[in-house]
Amino acid sequence: MIKAVRGTRDLLPPDTDLWNRVEAKVRDLFARYNYHEIRTPIFEDTQLFSRSVGEETDIVSKEMFTWEDRARGHSEKAQSLTLRPEATAGVVRAYIEHRLGDKGTLQKLYCVGPQFRRERPQKGRYRQFYQIDAEIIGPPSAGSESPLRDAELLEMLATILDEVGLRDWQLQLNSIGCAEDRVRYDKALRQALQPVVHLMCVDCQRRAETNPLRVLDCKVPEDQPIIEKLPRISQYLDEPCREHFAAVRAMLDAVGIAYTINERMVRGLDYYTRTTFEFTHGGLGAPSAVLGGGRYDGLSESLDGPKAPGIGFAIGEDRLILALQSQGEAATETLQAYIAPLGAGMNFHALKLARELRRHGVGADIGDESFRLKKSFELAEKAGARFIVILGENEVASDEFAVKDLASGQQVQVSRAELAKYLTNN
Ligand code: HAM
């Protein structure tokens, strides 16, 4: 038997009803905040990711699905292609390619779709997973650098999580400064690590060499006291970065959004500058990030584009759904009517009635004339229907139907003309 590939999974009903409800809510909110959808390809030139996410990151160094695409004719070149591991790089590429910055306005863009990373699969971590991604990007003259963008984006996220019904989320906030700040911090970390690194785990010993910032991400309990004493990024921010972060925090305070400053939060992508954040939730056992994001003021230029500061986030939709389900959330779509044709020749009457009802906006499903009444009742219940509408010869003749409320057991006769209204309003 052929099964779904390791790390991939089928999303089935009724889970997909919850996925759709979340996506519909989020699209509605994006419209309220004046975001518009962008759809970029699922695979891109490999270099796009190595130059943006960063050669040294786990994502690029070991998790990408990359292949050599051979040329099919003289007009084509062989090239290295990669299934997108995240959405930001593609959105910024599209921003540059279509000169969206020439409009002089802020681009508020979102996209929803699958991403691919060859990680070790576990609950909440898949090789094909889904992100709801949003980016605000534009020329500095459009206000793209302003701390208002950061605060508004974070406020929107809090509203999204509240409105989809997630409880007890936590916002972890940090500023990792600009590139120059990080050069100084990197130096300070290397210095501080030198005398103690031999006491740490092997991963940290490696990280201390390759990318000392990643030491902060270590979860090994014995290493924690050492990490706690390492220098903090906040001590290395220059004045403009410090002011920027203070302004973001002041605006969050003003709108009443609680956050925790987490100076150990290390995002797994290299393009970030200044504000970075994650929203965590305990729904998967240990608190884990249901979403992450941050500012990337130099990303466009590093991809040969114009100066275009930006900030964005990606919600891990698989994790958001798991977190909602851990709270007992399920989709509540109910079928209004199950039509039970009774006896030979009733199927086409049932189809006609279903057509009428559905055209009046009533959710309806149809059994089959070969089913006995008992079976129709069982199937109506399995379908989660609110009412069963019984349709036999007498009903067709009188144009009046027996409608039974499956929860209360109450049964009434309703005329054809009144039926849609009755099913909708009761
Ligand atoms: P990220 O932190 O790599 O950021 O991913 C964002 C979210 O995607 C994570 O918080 C997590 O919920 C989810 N996620 C990541 N990997 C997996 C996986 N293997 N299985 C299930 N869920 C996963 C980014 O991707 C950035 N592009 C976000 C961003 C947008 N920054 C600025 N703009």
Side-chain angles (χ1 to χ4, degrees):
M1 187 177 51
I2 299 174
K3 291 192 172 170
V5 171
R6 183 169 148 81
T8 71
R9 60 194 187 131
D10 302 305
L11 303 172
L12 305 172
D15 289 356
T16 42
D17 291 341
L18 185 56
W19 281 73
N20 283 328
R21 199 179 79 195
V22 165
E23 285 174 20
K25 177 97 249 164
V26 172
R27 283 176 191 275
D28 175 52
L29 277 160
F30 278 137
R32 255 191 267 167
Y33 283 79
N34 195 27
Y35 280 74
H36 296 275
E37 185 170 7
I38 179 169
R39 300 190 189 197
T40 63
I42 277 174
F43 57 89
E44 300 263 7
D45 188 324
T46 303
Q47 274 192 39
L48 174 66
F49 302 113
S50 45
R51 283 175 54 187
S52 57
V53 175
E55 206 81 65
E56 297 298 322
T57 58
D58 281 355
I59 297 177
V60 172
S61 66
K62 51 188 186 209
E63 293 172 357
M64 296 204 303
F65 289 93
T66 296
W67 71 99
E68 280 307 313
D69 203 50
R70 62 199 150 79
R72 290 200 52 179
H74 293 304
S75 58
E76 278 186 330
K77 280 200 311 255
Q79 62 177 335
S80 176
L81 301 178
T82 292
L83 290 181
R84 63 181 184 195
E86 61 106 49
T88 313
V91 172
V92 175
R93 177 200 49 71
Y95 174 91
I96 298 167
E97 188 170 334
H98 303 288
R99 305 175 67 97
L100 300 182
D102 290 0
K103 298 180 177 164
T105 53
L106 279 181
Q107 299 295 304
K108 297 170 98 175
L109 304 167
Y110 78 90
C111 56
V112 180
Q115 315 291 338
F116 305 86
R117 296 183 194 174
R118 196 190 277 106
E119 294 197 71
R120 194 136 43 86
Q122 60 181 57
K123 192 169 183 198
R125 198 201 284 152
Y126 308 101
R127 291 183 172 177
Q128 173 171 340
F129 60 99
Y130 294 80
Q131 286 186 339
I132 299 172
D133 182 279
E135 315 290 346
I136 312 181
I137 180 169
S141 59
S144 55
E145 254 168 331
S146 165
L148 173 58
R149 305 283 87 83
D150 310 45
E152 190 192 12
L153 186 98
L154 290 163
E155 187 281 324
M156 177 172 79
L157 276 168
T159 301
I160 288 177
L161 296 184
D162 288 345
E163 291 211 6
V164 299
L166 191 71
R167 296 189 295 269
D168 303 326
W169 49 262
Q170 276 215 333
L171 165 54
Q172 314 269 336
L173 193 63
N174 194 17
S175 173
I176 59 163
C178 53
E180 298 81 62
D181 297 342
R182 274 205 308 292
V183 170
R184 283 184 282 129
Y185 184 51
D186 184 86
K187 211 165 130 198
L189 271 182
R190 282 178 196 274
Q191 255 171 24
L193 280 167
Q194 210 187 13
V196 288
V197 71
H198 66 281
L199 304 169
M200 303 182 82
C201 70
V202 284
D203 282 337
C204 280
Q205 300 193 9
R206 184 176 40 81
R207 293 178 187 129
E209 288 290 318
T210 56
N211 188 353
L213 204 64
R214 299 250 163 257
V215 168
L216 304 181
D217 209 17
C218 173
K219 303 283 184 307
V220 176
E222 292 77 19
D223 289 359
Q224 302 310 308
I226 301 175
I227 296 171
E228 282 306 314
K229 292 204 196 75
L230 292 173
R232 306 262 162 166
I233 182 74
S234 57
Q235 301 159 339
Y236 294 84
L237 300 187
D238 63 15
E239 204 42 41
C241 289
R242 218 184 283 269
E243 277 170 19
H244 193 275
F245 194 39
V248 174
R249 291 194 321 254
M251 280 185 268
L252 290 179
D253 294 340
V255 289
I257 289 171
Y259 53 85
T260 312
I261 300 289
N262 180 357
E263 291 197 56
R264 281 185 55 179
M265 188 176 62
V266 177
R267 306 271 304 122
L269 306 98
D270 280 352
Y271 49 61
Y272 288 117
T273 53
R274 295 190 166 177
T275 313
T276 54
F277 56 85
E278 286 180 355
F279 282 64
T280 56
H281 187 270
L284 294 173
S288 69
V290 291
L291 69 91
R295 186 165 266 291
Y296 45 83
D297 290 346
L299 178 54
S300 170
E301 287 136 295
S302 74
L303 294 171
D304 306 323
K307 192 167 164 55
I311 181 166
F313 65 79
I315 299 175
E317 207 179 346
D318 306 75
R319 292 195 192 166
L320 176 60
I321 299 288
L322 286 168
L324 287 170
Q325 287 172 334
S326 78
Q327 293 179 178
E329 201 81 35
T332 46
E333 267 67 63
T334 49
L335 181 68
Q336 278 155 298
Y338 184 90
I339 300 168
L342 265 192
M346 288 302 120
N347 267 356
F348 87 88
H349 291 292
L351 183 62
K352 271 174 68 182
L353 183 65
R355 175 172 159 90
E356 277 171 39
L357 293 177
R358 288 164 175 161
R359 289 200 160 207
H360 279 92
V362 177
D365 210 348
I366 324 175
D368 191 86
E369 61 187 27
S370 67
F371 299 165
R372 288 173 181 281
L373 193 57
K374 183 161 173 279
K375 179 168 174 177
S376 290
F377 268 94
E378 283 166 9
L379 290 173
E381 269 177 36
K382 274 195 192 156
R386 209 158 127 44
F387 295 101
I388 185 163
V389 179
I390 295 156
L391 194 153
E393 264 173 35
N394 294 342
E395 283 79 5
V396 172
S398 66
D399 243 6
E400 242 188 37
F401 303 92
V403 179
K404 188 164 186 171
D405 183 323
L406 284 166
S408 69
Q410 191 196 26
Q411 184 167 325
V412 289
Q413 294 291 117
V414 185
S415 72
R416 187 177 211 114
E418 293 296 312
L419 189 58
K421 204 155 76 186
Y422 181 85
L423 294 171
T424 315
N425 295 342
N426 281 285

